[in-house]
Amino acid sequence: MENRSANESEGMQLSRPQPDLEIDYTEVKGKTYSCIDNCALCCLCQPELLPDEAIRFRGDPVLAQGVAERHISPEVKGTALKLRGAHGACHFLANKRCKIYDLRPHFCRLFPVNVFVGWRIQLLTNLSCRGMGLPGSNLQEEAEKIIADYGRAELSEQLDHAKKVFADFVRNCRATGVAQSFSSLRSAADSLMDELTDELGLSRVLTYAEHGRTRQNASPTDIARLARRSDAVADIQERALMDGTELFDLPDLSLLPIYIDEGMVWKIFELKEKRIVGYVLAEDGTTDEFVRIDPNEVELLPFEEQGRRLLGEYLSTINSRDCFLGHAAYLCDMDDYEFNFAQAYLGAMANNALDLWWRSSFLAGLDGREELGAKEIRNGIVFFDMDLLDLPTIGAFI
Ligand code: SF4
Ligand code: SF4
């Protein structure tokens, strides 16, 4: 399944007509951002080119030098820009400045805003950007300009396509008896925030995801009750260690997640000879080792109140993202609709909460911290959100 998708308010009831071009600005509303000098984190993501940009870049002798033969992710089939030294920054970055700023591609112009098309259009923010929340540009105004630039015809076309994909998903769910209303899933997840930020609660939700039984179109209360009453079989510390280690166990450095620290230093971590090796990454792709850790020494650290609150707020943001719901739908489809959609959704939410908890603990441990306050969770979100937005999903980022 390539690009699927449904109807939020009625969940599985697709018969109700949707307002044309429904656009959700909730995530950008009231937010500001300012680009930070010497950051350039977004220039470490290999930007794809739109079809007309690919023609423009290939037709210009200077721009053509920056066009890659292939994207680092094999599943991306379109044209993209080259990275330097295979895993460094974009070909056009020099001393953390874009050499083709006025000619930069569409996806570079959008950052840190993302436009997701599912059963509606939704504007999202990339919380890996450390400029988010700084006084500066009004993100809703930026987002409105982005939407205006697309033009109605293009948005309609993209939306029609994505709605069909979501409708296919809904039909498949119904046919296999695993359907749930999207709004019920979100309500259930919201009511489980205490569980999702707690070791015992996470174990219950993960056990529910794997072994629970849920009837089709259950109420949010029933879904949450089933998750809460599940046995706590999943070993959270062991799972965090396994998933956290796997995160850095990739064959190609270019695929590793990138972290930008508070001093604007780019860092990557690789699993090598059973140790996590940390490198400072330079623009040209060269690396300089700065730390070597035994993964068994990384433990999930306890939360301070502010840290737990921020984690809960972030999980609520994820819970409102249509691309995340599309990701759970993708997982449901990959599992051939073997599990109820509520289990797929809450399982994905719990796995991501655990991933973020582990990343926050890992980074905090490097700084010698023993508890996770707001600053440590914020660092974890910076490390995590870009990867979350990159998860496979139905619907599309445009
Ligand atoms: S990640 Fe944010 S702050 Fe950093 S360069 Fe990109 S837009 Fe600017
Ligand atoms: S084209 Fe410019 S803005 Fe875009 S990734 Fe490359 S250096 Fe950064």
Side-chain angles (χ1 to χ4, degrees), residues 186-385:
R186 286 179 163 165
S187 299
D190 266 335
S191 70
L192 287 166
M193 280 304 154
D194 284 347
E195 281 75 11
L196 290 166
T197 54
D198 168 82
E199 189 170 336
L200 184 64
L202 270 178
S203 178
R204 290 191 196 286
V205 177
L206 284 168
T207 306
Y208 162 73
E210 286 156 22
H211 304 287
R213 287 179 183 278
T214 319
R215 65 176 174 80
Q216 180 153 254
N217 293 325
S219 72
T221 316
D222 284 347
I223 295 168
R225 191 187 304 121
L226 283 170
R228 240 178 238 124
R229 287 186 181 172
S230 284
D231 291 334
V233 172
D235 184 329
I236 294 303
Q237 292 284 351
E238 189 183 291
R239 197 178 283 229
L241 173 65
M242 196 173 71
D243 295 350
T245 310
E246 269 178 15
L247 179 68
F248 303 137
D249 189 12
L250 293 169
D252 186 337
L253 291 193
S254 64
L255 300 174
L256 290 170
I258 295 166
Y259 173 62
I260 183 160
D261 73 13
E262 291 164 282
M264 300 298 130
V265 177
W266 301 334
K267 292 174 174 169
I268 54 173
F269 302 91
E270 178 191 25
L271 188 72
K272 204 172 172 185
E273 293 153 5
K274 299 189 178 168
R275 293 286 180 275
I276 298 172
V277 185
Y279 304 95
V280 169
L281 179 66
E283 249 177 44
D284 62 2
T286 53
T287 53
D288 188 11
E289 180 179 328
F290 72 96
V291 77
R292 199 169 270 250
I293 306 159
D294 179 348
N296 294 299
E297 287 171 8
V298 182
E299 288 188 359
L300 293 174
L301 295 177
F303 297 105
E304 289 172 359
E305 194 188 327
Q306 301 271 350
R308 186 189 297 277
R309 189 176 313 137
L310 182 58
L311 175 59
E313 285 167 14
Y314 177 67
L315 294 179
S316 294
T317 301
I318 296 179
N319 192 31
S320 63
R321 286 179 174 171
D322 298 346
C323 63
F324 179 73
L325 199 139
H327 169 62
Y330 170 88
L331 296 177
C332 199
D333 184 75
M334 293 297 283
D335 283 334
D336 282 333
Y337 301 86
E338 190 184 335
F339 300 102
N340 187 280
F341 189 34
Q343 290 168 243
Y345 187 81
L346 290 175
M349 183 66 79
N351 274 317
N352 281 293
L354 186 56
D355 186 344
L356 175 54
W357 188 0
W358 189 87
R359 291 195 203 201
S360 304
S361 301
F362 171 70
L363 294 173
L366 292 180
D367 290 340
R369 297 274 298 137
E370 293 181 352
E371 290 193 313
L372 302 175
K375 181 175 135 178
E376 288 72 33
I377 296 294
R378 167 83 176 118
N379 286 340
I381 293 169
V382 165
F383 196 14
F384 181 73
D385 199 51

Side-chain angles (χ1 to χ4, degrees), residues 42-58:
C42 44
C43 300
L44 290 164
C45 319
Q46 189 177 18
E48 291 169 53
L49 300 178
L50 298 175
D52 59 328
E53 286 175 335
I55 294 167
R56 175 163 64 86
F57 270 66
R58 287 189 200 284

Side-chain angles (χ1 to χ4, degrees), residues 21 74 93 95 158 177 213 229 253 396:
L21 291 192
L93 193 73
N95 300 318
Q158 297 273 7
R213 287 179 183 278
R229 287 186 181 172
L253 291 193

Side-chain angles (χ1 to χ4, degrees), residues 178-189:
V178 302
Q180 294 299 343
S181 140
F182 294 176
S183 54
S184 291
L185 293 182
R186 286 179 163 165
S187 299

Side-chain angles (χ1 to χ4, degrees), residues 33-36 39-42 111-112 128-131:
Y33 111 98
S34 213
C35 191
I36 302 171
C39 169
L41 175 72
C42 44
F111 210 90
S128 291
C129 167
R130 285 199 179 269

Side-chain angles (χ1 to χ4, degrees), residues 40 42-47 57 81-82 89-94 97-101 103-105 107-109:
C42 44
C43 300
L44 290 164
C45 319
Q46 189 177 18
F57 270 66
L81 294 186
K82 269 184 203 162
C90 170
H91 173 87
F92 293 111
L93 193 73
R97 297 261 165 200
C98 176
K99 290 190 289 182
I100 57 160
Y101 192 75
L103 302 170
R104 70 198 188 287
F107 285 109
C108 303
R109 290 170 192 274

